[in-house]
Amino acid sequence: MDTYDFFADPRAIGLAERRIYLRSMQREQQWWLDRLQALTEPPRPEADFPAFLLATPPFHDLARKLARAGHRSHLAPAVADELDWFVRAFRDYLRTCDGEDVFSSAHRGSPER
């Protein structure tokens, strides 16, 4: 497993490798999953949501913004929006690799339909 690929873009690794990271980061997974339950709106992340990603370098900035908040109302609107994007974007991260080309640079900035 190439750790550097994971740190550059967590979607660059396959599903089996994603599950390996989940198992190796159980403490981070539980801490962030508990926190996300208080910070997200329904539908809240399920037990297999990859909350551990917030403990990785690509999400350091978002994690820093979320770390001290105890409730969603404590988040600035821009941070709440960023969190909502994160939850939507990674909801199926540990379930499938299908459709992840939507994250590619060719699709970024294109209007949603």
Side-chain angles (χ1 to χ4, degrees):
M1 167 178 355
D2 188 347
T3 302
Y4 296 109
D5 285 345
F6 176 74
F7 288 147
D9 183 352
R11 294 170 305 265
I13 62 174
L15 190 55
E17 291 171 302
R18 295 171 185 195
R19 291 178 177 156
I20 290 169
Y21 274 104
L22 170 65
R23 286 190 300 271
S24 71
M25 299 180 76
Q26 278 300 306
R27 185 178 54 175
E28 293 88 349
Q29 171 70 9
Q30 193 57 56
W31 192 86
W32 278 109
L33 190 58
D34 290 346
R35 179 157 303 292
L36 290 178
Q37 295 304 317
L39 299 177
T40 56
E41 294 181 330
R44 295 207 165 42
E46 295 181 35
D48 67 344
F49 181 81
F52 71 92
L53 290 174
L54 288 164
T56 65
F59 300 103
H60 173 77
D61 197 43
L62 177 58
R64 183 183 51 76
K65 295 172 191 173
L66 300 176
R68 294 191 181 177
H71 190 270
R72 186 174 179 91
S73 64
H74 301 153
L75 299 175
V79 175
D81 289 346
E82 188 176 358
L83 174 60
D84 293 344
W85 174 87
F86 173 78
V87 171
R88 275 192 314 275
F90 289 95
R91 188 169 300 279
D92 292 327
Y93 181 77
L94 294 170
R95 299 175 188 165
T96 182
C97 293
D98 294 342
E100 291 196 349
D101 63 331
V102 299
F103 294 105
S104 71
S105 60
H107 292 288
R108 287 186 193 148
S110 61
E112 291 186 27
R113 297 176 199 248

